[in-house]
Amino acid sequence: MRIDIFTLFPNMFDGPFGTGIFQRAISNQLVNINIHNIRDYTHDKHHIVDDYPYGGGTGMVLKPEPIFEAVESVKSDTGSEEELPIILLTPQGRLFSQAVARELSGYSHLILICGHYEGVDERVRQHLVTDEISIGDYVLSGGELAAMVVVDAVVRLLPGVLGSEASTQDDSHTTGLLQHPQYTRPAVYRGWSVPEVLLSGNHAQIAKWRREQAIRRTHERRPELLDKVNLTLEERQLVNRLKDSM
Ligand code: 6GU
């Protein structure tokens, strides 16, 4: 997958993409991430990227020309791609989720534009951008951290990025449930024991325990998620018992 990110603060991306799964994914050529400074696409002496809002008001608005030219330079050097998503990161976008990450992981090329909360000229939204994403109901000072969140969630889903294909299967939110508790050695730590079933070697019992723990945890912490999950009759009965005992 190729990812092009357009930002006014390219340095912000130095840390995360040089570390951990990104570093491996990049050196194994599973993903190619290019950071572009929008300011490089200005033509005036002062490299101005923003201006006062028409109609008045506080804050500045990002000008359309540098953003159009920056994105078009990448579109033209990759040839025409019918289905290339051009995503603006903005608090007004659709809410990011595991399902959206999964959807984006299916493309071979993504373009991300980091907005700033004062705003981006509306013509960028209307005539350049194909999608707008928000990572939650709070306001960040810019789209950069949101772009990193989106890229992290998408890249770890690409085949070969994590150790084994199976490792995203049980993730919180992939199943629609929160993840079950995990334990590692020692079997007893400060008198606190690992649940017996996990030491039993009985894989069917372990899977059953984990599924039940995931349901219990989801019920306790995010009960609204249970309405959307596919549960067996037996699992639905467990949920009903949990609700009754509240
Ligand atoms: Cl994508 N951008 C900004 N500036 N704030 C946000 C956001 C994005 N998502 C949540 N808050």
Side-chain angles (χ1 to χ4, degrees):
M1 171 181 276
R2 170 173 176 174
I3 302 175
D4 288 280
I5 302 174
F6 294 88
T7 171
L8 293 172
F9 303 102
N11 296 343
M12 284 183 73
F13 293 88
D14 289 349
F17 297 160
T19 328
I21 70 150
F22 284 115
Q23 204 180 20
R24 248 204 358 263
I26 291 166
S27 59
N28 295 339
Q29 297 180 29
L30 299 169
V31 66
N32 171 11
I33 303 177
N34 307 295
I35 312 294
H36 308 269
N37 191 340
I38 294 169
R39 206 174 288 281
D40 293 343
Y41 295 84
T42 52
H43 301 295
D44 61 302
K45 192 165 101 201
H46 301 290
H47 303 291
I48 291 172
V49 292
D50 56 3
D51 205 339
Y52 296 99
Y54 274 120
T58 56
M60 300 292 275
V61 175
L62 290 179
K63 292 164 64 62
E65 309 95 307
I67 300 178
F68 271 89
E69 289 184 35
V71 171
E72 282 165 358
S73 76
V74 163
K75 278 169 75 178
S76 65
D77 81 34
T78 34
S80 77
E81 286 177 64
E82 287 292 310
E83 268 204 312
L84 170 62
I86 303 178
I87 303 164
L88 178 67
L89 282 311
T90 163
Q92 285 109 52
R94 65 179 171 134
L95 201 54
F96 192 58
S97 65
Q98 192 61 28
V100 176
R102 193 59 73 196
E103 171 196 326
L104 297 181
S105 72
Y107 291 96
S108 58
H109 188 183
L110 300 176
I111 288 184
L112 303 180
I113 303 169
C114 302
H116 276 258
Y117 77 86
E118 307 91 325
V120 174
D121 188 283
E122 188 66 18
R123 290 163 291 189
V124 170
R125 301 187 133 101
Q126 288 178 325
H127 304 294
L128 183 66
V129 159
T130 64
D131 194 3
E132 299 181 36
I133 289 177
S134 161
I135 62 163
D137 293 335
Y138 40 82
V139 178
L140 303 169
S141 53
E144 283 76 12
L145 289 168
M148 293 177 210
V149 167
V150 168
V151 170
D152 186 301
V154 169
V155 167
R156 65 185 291 288
L157 293 176
L158 299 176
V161 168
L162 296 186
S164 80
E165 286 299 313
S167 38
T168 65
Q169 291 298 307
D170 302 338
D171 283 348
S172 286
H173 303 296
T174 295
T175 56
L177 296 170
L178 302 185
Q179 201 193 41
H180 56 76
Q182 296 278 25
Y183 293 89
T184 187
R185 288 188 287 186
V188 182
Y189 177 63
R190 297 191 176 182
W192 302 308
S193 302
V194 172
E196 202 60 46
V197 61
L198 297 179
L199 310 177
S200 69
N202 183 332
H203 297 296
Q205 281 299 109
I206 291 169
K208 184 165 182 287
W209 181 86
R210 286 180 166 164
R211 180 85 182 165
E212 180 176 328
Q213 291 297 314
I215 292 169
R216 287 177 178 276
R217 180 165 278 189
T218 308
H219 173 260
E220 279 166 23
R221 301 182 184 184
R222 299 288 307 279
E224 79 283 4
L225 296 179
L226 287 172
D227 301 335
K228 290 185 263 169
V229 183
N230 275 326
L231 297 178
T232 64
L233 180 60
E234 200 183 339
E235 290 169 342
R236 202 43 82 185
Q237 286 166 343
L238 168 63
V239 171
N240 290 336
R241 282 201 304 281
L242 294 171
K243 280 184 184 159
D244 289 343
S245 65
M246 280 180 78

